Amino acid sequence: MNNRLKDLRGERGWSQAYLAEQLEVSRQSVNAIETGKYDPSLPLAFRIARLFALPIETIFSDNE
């Protein structure tokens, strides 16, 4: 799954640690999602979308 998490985080000037704190996950989890090594669970994807005030489809897309 592709995502825009790193770009969105950068636009806001947030560190991975800050984003992780807001999402109640580890910084390593944020890094793994950003690099495509881990796909977030649906509840986590919804939390990410709410935090950025964007639809999930704007942040995440399939590889096709």
Side-chain angles (χ1 to χ4, degrees):
M1 180 178 344
N2 297 320
N3 70 74
R4 298 183 49 229
L5 193 57
K6 185 175 182 177
D7 294 334
L8 293 170
R9 180 177 59 77
E11 289 171 5
R12 288 158 178 78
W14 295 350
S15 67
Q16 286 183 343
Y18 176 81
L19 179 57
E21 183 179 311
Q22 299 306 304
L23 297 172
E24 299 179 345
V25 299
S26 70
R27 185 200 57 77
Q28 290 85 353
S29 293
V30 170
N31 181 268
I33 294 168
E34 287 184 355
T35 59
K37 295 178 182 171
Y38 170 73
D39 290 335
S41 65
L42 193 54
L44 179 54
F46 274 109
R47 288 200 321 260
I48 292 168
R50 277 194 300 272
L51 182 63
F52 286 101
L54 294 168
I56 288 178
E57 300 83 11
T58 302
I59 302 170
F60 299 98
S61 63
D62 61 13
N63 292 332
E64 295 180 22

